[in-house]
Amino acid sequence: MRAIAGLWRWRRNPLRRGTDLAEAWVALVALVLIAVAAPVAGAVTGSLTNDALLRSAEEQRAARHTVTATVLHGLERPPLDPDPETSGSRDAHRRVLAAWTGPDGTDHKGAVVCDLEEPRSGDRFTLWTDGEGRVVGRPLDPATATTHAALAGFGACLATAGLVEGARRLLLWRVVQRRYARWDRAWEQAGPDWGKTGTGA
């Protein structure tokens, strides 16, 4: 709004300088870009990211399989983690030695993490594996993919707005520098006796 008011104010003002008009136009263009280009960039980025993540989730669901693993015996819990962000998720799971059969029919055995509260020998739990029976992470679900895409779109919107504002400030800095340079030249032309003109001194 200040940009529009600035353009209107300088429209026919006799004291208007070229830099004043340039400053108002730069502010108006920046305002339009932030209001239009930033949301468009966010929407496009979010849409493209969502499509890519959903494709990746489908590929993961096609390549990963759930198998039933059997607890052979529990393993000692690792020492307490001092990091509060990771300790909660680690404490909620237990490490066990388990055996399972992969989708290709091969038998596997190894230390894995299960979500059983008190795992005992013979207990069964679900495990995600690839086609050859190697343990992999859970595939990305559509809700998580959409959340990540929304965050990416929001970040792109903010980044675009920040880039436009940064460019506006840089251009404004250049305009002010040119204005100061003109003042310096006018001051030099006036000379050191500008205040004594016409006094006969």
Side-chain angles (χ1 to χ4, degrees), residues 177-198:
Q177 292 300 314
R178 290 182 63 185
R179 184 182 298 162
Y180 287 161
R182 287 181 181 171
W183 284 353
D184 288 341
R185 285 195 299 271
W187 185 264
E188 288 173 2
Q189 289 174 358
D193 297 330
W194 66 272
K196 302 176 182 178
T197 303

Side-chain angles (χ1 to χ4, degrees), residues 45 90 136 152:
T45 301
R90 288 183 183 174
V136 293

Side-chain angles (χ1 to χ4, degrees), residues 25 49 56 58 60 67 69 92 97 101 114 148 172 181 184 188:
W25 273 110
T49 304
S56 176
E58 288 177 9
Q60 288 179 6
V67 298
L97 183 66
T101 301
C114 71
H148 288 321
L172 182 60
D184 288 341
E188 288 173 2

Side-chain angles (χ1 to χ4, degrees), residues 38 41-42 45-46 151-161:
T45 301
L151 290 174
F154 184 68
C157 181
L158 289 181
T160 302

Side-chain angles (χ1 to χ4, degrees), residues 40-52 145-146 148-154 156:
V40 168
V44 169
T45 301
S47 176
L48 293 176
T49 304
N50 191 45
D51 292 344
T146 302
H148 288 321
L151 290 174
F154 184 68

